[in-house]
Amino acid sequence: MSEKNREGKRTARERLAEERAKQKTAEKRRRVLIVGASVVCVLGLAAVVGVVAANSGKDKGDSSGPVVAPSGAKGQDSLAIPVGKEGARSTLVVWEDFRCPACKAFETAYRPTVHELAGSGKLKVEYHLATIIDGNMGGTGSRNAANAAACAQDAGKFPGYHDVLYENQPDETSDDYADNAKLLELAKKVDGLDTPAFRTCVEKGTHNSWVEKSAAAFRNGGFSGTPTVLLDGKNIYQDRTMTPAKLKQQVEAANKG
């Protein structure tokens, strides 16, 4: 074999090795994003301002009005917004904050699977809204976005608006969602949501006190960060191998039992 041919084969092997290394790195990053989102969110906050517990009770803004739960809210103190069929055998409880980048990471990775399972009647999702980024970073974007999402629930448009808020989530340090005009503008992306009733609900902060009550439940619940995701009572982030495919498998198995 000529020196030129040997060099060509060596170079090809090197390129193949490099490509495999890149694929392994990309897969590792994807799994870390999916499995460790809640940890990333909390650690990121801790590095800047300390742990969540050190800032509990510091959510800003006026939430002194009456507690008005959104239409159809369920559970203790009506703090859960349900999505999916009531008779579904499996329940996914999600504690989230619309300003939290780790929550967006979870949504990006798991949303298609969650939508599929909920749409087929196999999974019911209960969303609980928290405001830890307001408490740690300052501002009212978490609260205002949560209020707007509750207003969307009143209009029967929560799932669509919920997804739009994550698809347009500002940088964690930017309090863009404190601006009601921004939240109203995003409502135009959900068919039939931009109505006078929705606008009034957002602008008056109709559900602000309800959001604060939900945030207090999160702070008092012993949770480590957002998102906190419980499948039939079990925190699925305790399973470091959890993926959307595994979630689907577990839900389908529960529906066969």
Side-chain angles (χ1 to χ4, degrees):
M1 181 183 294
S2 68
E3 182 66 26
K4 183 176 181 181
N5 286 340
R6 282 197 296 271
E7 179 65 22
K9 288 190 175 183
R10 185 184 67 82
T11 302
R13 286 196 298 271
E14 289 177 349
R15 287 199 299 268
L16 181 59
E18 290 176 358
E19 183 61 29
R20 286 175 175 170
K22 288 179 181 179
Q23 290 175 355
K24 288 178 69 176
T25 299
E27 175 62 20
K28 183 177 179 181
R29 288 176 178 172
R30 183 190 69 83
R31 188 168 293 280
V32 168
L33 175 65
I34 293 173
V35 178
S38 61
V39 176
V40 171
C41 185
V42 174
L43 290 179
L45 289 174
V48 179
V49 291
V51 297
V52 173
N55 294 278
S56 58
K58 292 184 180 179
D59 299 331
K60 304 295 192 298
D62 180 15
S63 302
S64 59
V67 176
V68 181
S71 176
K74 302 288 186 180
Q76 184 175 354
D77 295 328
S78 298
L79 295 179
I81 295 179
V83 174
K85 296 180 181 179
E86 185 65 31
R89 288 195 177 186
S90 286
T91 301
L92 192 72
V93 175
V94 181
W95 288 88
E96 61 182 3
D97 181 333
F98 288 112
R99 286 181 71 186
C100 172
C103 296
K104 180 178 180 178
F106 171 78
E107 282 294 319
T108 300
Y110 283 83
R111 179 188 297 162
T113 300
V114 171
H115 280 191
E116 177 188 347
L117 292 170
S120 65
K122 297 177 180 178
L123 181 70
K124 178 177 66 176
V125 188
E126 295 180 352
Y127 290 99
H128 295 258
L129 308 183
T131 61
I132 65 170
I133 306 298
D134 285 358
N136 287 327
M137 293 292 189
T140 61
S142 297
R143 187 205 65 184
N144 287 16
N147 172 69
C151 295
Q153 170 68 10
D154 289 338
K157 302 289 184 178
F158 175 83
Y161 192 61
H162 170 276
D163 292 353
V164 164
L165 286 174
Y166 280 118
E167 289 165 0
N168 294 272
Q169 184 187 76
D171 184 83
E172 183 180 11
T173 59
S174 179
D175 197 26
D176 290 6
Y177 282 170
D179 183 1
N180 284 334
K182 175 70 173 178
L183 298 170
L184 292 172
E185 183 66 25
L186 291 177
K188 295 178 181 179
K189 295 178 178 291
V190 180
D191 186 40
L193 179 57
D194 184 23
T195 64
F198 175 78
R199 287 177 168 270
T200 298
C201 183
V202 171
E203 291 168 347
K204 289 189 174 182
T206 298
H207 300 296
N208 280 354
S209 292
W210 175 84
V211 171
E212 171 52 33
K213 192 169 185 177
S214 179
F218 174 82
R219 293 194 297 268
N220 297 329
F223 304 117
S224 59
T226 53
T228 291
V229 186
L230 310 173
L231 177 61
D232 296 329
K234 181 180 178 180
N235 191 328
I236 64 173
Y237 278 117
Q238 291 177 352
D239 180 356
R240 304 304 294 176
T241 65
M242 181 58 65
T243 63
K246 187 170 183 177
L247 172 63
K248 182 177 180 180
Q249 182 182 38
Q250 291 181 354
V251 170
E252 290 182 337
N255 276 265
K256 292 178 181 178

